[in-house]
Amino acid sequence: MSNQNITNVQIFHPGTPLTSSRSGFILLTIIGWLLLAVSPVRGAVFNVINYGAVGNDSTDNTAAFTNCLNAIIAAGGGQMFIPDGVYRGRITIPPVNQPTPSWIAIEIVGASEPPPVFGTIGNFPLRNKGTIIKSLATSGPAVISATSSPPANALYMEFSAVHVIIRNLDVRTYNNPQIGGIDLNFAMQCRLENVFINTDTYNVQASQPTHGTKGLITPANANAALTILRNVTSTGYQTGIVVNEHTDADNIVVAGNIHGIEFPFASHASRLGRVGAFRNTNHITVTGEHGFTIKQLDIERTGPNQTDPNNAWQTTVYDLNDPNHHGIADITYWVTIGNVGAVDDFDRNGGNKIRARRVGSAN
């Protein structure tokens, strides 16, 4: 119900006799106002099909995506809706510049929540079901990225004045990719929910990444950043997820990466709830001074007869890799070895300022 639907509202004065029609009208009016109060206020929805996008796994939709995003920015924000299908191309969010008084919200939303496919054994090919954004490019930006603003036009430094929301998307590249999955370094803020970032390969079969690519880069340090991650999985990259400052995350999975999660320099601390880390060479890597907590780091290392010459690189070297002692953190962990079971073990390289303890342990 909208404001336009609530008309001719009559004022009821105490002592006025209530007829059945008057009492019914007042009741309906009250219900209408209550529905208006609790209903979510949504921006305009922009369907990519209306801008020429085709989810047939062959058409290059980059131009259609850009036209849709330009329309959203011109409208002051809104939702980019992508029906089910396999959409080739890149989604590159243009810069939102001055004289915008504050940043705007752009939602990129798929029709279906993707099943995150990851594991430690077997072979489970990924299916072309749901809403999939896919790029086979060998150079250039990530499949989804936010563009920087020229400093003279930017709201702050070179960051685009945009809050990016991504929901219900399967974001794909290819085995040993030369481009990243999602790069929001130049966005002000982001929220990702039900997002599966992958290389179109079940992580156990993934080849060793050799191009330094990242599955997800969150908004960078020192830009009023805010990152919220829920139900996000990243597999098959040099680094699964780069966690910058002001990050709150839960139900995160990193599998089959060289570095599962990387913590670079950040002025503000990050909080992660449950993190699943499987078959990464290094599950947690710290490259700059960063304060963080991981409430439950659930690890499974490869066990006997669970690797072959193609995926031997997925044998865990370190659960925590912080050679320069940059991290200031608390980690509660649980470690399992495939075909063996749970072990009271945590392999660390450095990290003298990180307190790590096993679930249920006092120390």
Side-chain angles (χ1 to χ4, degrees), residues 271-292:
R271 185 205 73 89
L272 286 70
R274 190 181 190 279
V275 174
F278 313 107
R279 298 184 72 107
N280 303 293
T281 307
N282 302 291
H283 295 306
I284 304 297
T285 293
V286 184
T287 57
E289 187 169 305
H290 199 134
F292 61 92

Side-chain angles (χ1 to χ4, degrees), residues 7 12 20 41-42 53 74 226:
T7 57
F12 171 69
S20 60
V41 178
R42 300 185 183 276
L226 172 65

Side-chain angles (χ1 to χ4, degrees), residues 101-117:
S102 185
W103 45 88
I104 68 173
I106 293 178
E107 295 185 74
I108 303 173
V109 180
S112 301
E113 179 179 337
V117 180

Side-chain angles (χ1 to χ4, degrees), residues 142-332:
V143 182
I144 300 177
S145 63
T147 307
S148 63
S149 292
N153 298 328
L155 185 68
Y156 179 71
M157 296 174 67
E158 57 183 327
F159 298 102
S160 180
V162 61
H163 172 54
V164 180
I165 302 101
I166 302 176
R167 292 188 286 115
N168 300 341
L169 277 190
D170 184 324
V171 179
R172 295 189 186 181
T173 50
Y174 47 89
N175 196 27
N176 190 13
Q178 294 176 260
I179 63 171
I182 300 176
D183 183 355
L184 300 179
N185 182 78
F186 289 109
M188 280 287 200
Q189 302 172 341
C190 76
R191 178 185 177 95
L192 274 66
E193 184 175 2
N194 306 329
V195 176
F196 178 30
I197 307 164
N198 62 83
T199 60
D200 206 11
T201 308
Y202 177 52
N203 66 283
V204 175
Q205 274 70 51
S207 298
Q208 181 172 354
T210 59
H211 300 289
T213 52
K214 322 286 186 183
L216 169 63
I217 301 175
T218 62
N221 180 55
N223 72 333
L226 172 65
T227 293
I228 299 174
L229 306 177
R230 296 291 185 271
N231 304 330
V232 175
T233 297
S234 183
T235 68
Y237 288 88
Q238 178 82 16
T239 301
I241 300 175
V242 178
V243 172
N244 286 303
E245 67 180 11
H246 293 296
T247 293
D248 183 273
D250 206 353
N251 293 328
I252 305 301
V253 172
V254 283
N257 306 285
I258 297 290
H259 305 285
I261 293 179
E262 177 189 347
F263 289 94
F265 171 81
S267 296
H268 296 271
S270 299
R271 185 205 73 89
L272 286 70
R274 190 181 190 279
V275 174
F278 313 107
R279 298 184 72 107
N280 303 293
T281 307
N282 302 291
H283 295 306
I284 304 297
T285 293
V286 184
T287 57
E289 187 169 305
H290 199 134
F292 61 92
T293 59
I294 301 178
K295 292 297 185 180
Q296 185 186 98
L297 176 59
D298 183 48
I299 293 170
E300 182 167 344
R301 305 178 191 154
T302 59
N305 303 315
Q306 289 189 334
T307 60
D308 57 38
N310 181 65
N311 60 23
W313 65 273
Q314 296 179 358
T315 301
T316 301
V317 177
Y318 295 114
D319 300 308
L320 170 64
N321 180 34
D322 181 14
N324 296 311
H325 313 290
H326 286 310
I328 304 171
D330 287 288
I331 298 174
T332 303

Side-chain angles (χ1 to χ4, degrees), residues 122-134:
N123 186 0
F124 300 93
L126 276 59
R127 303 179 65 191
N128 287 337
K129 299 293 184 181
T131 306
I132 301 168
I133 310 298
K134 181 179 181 180

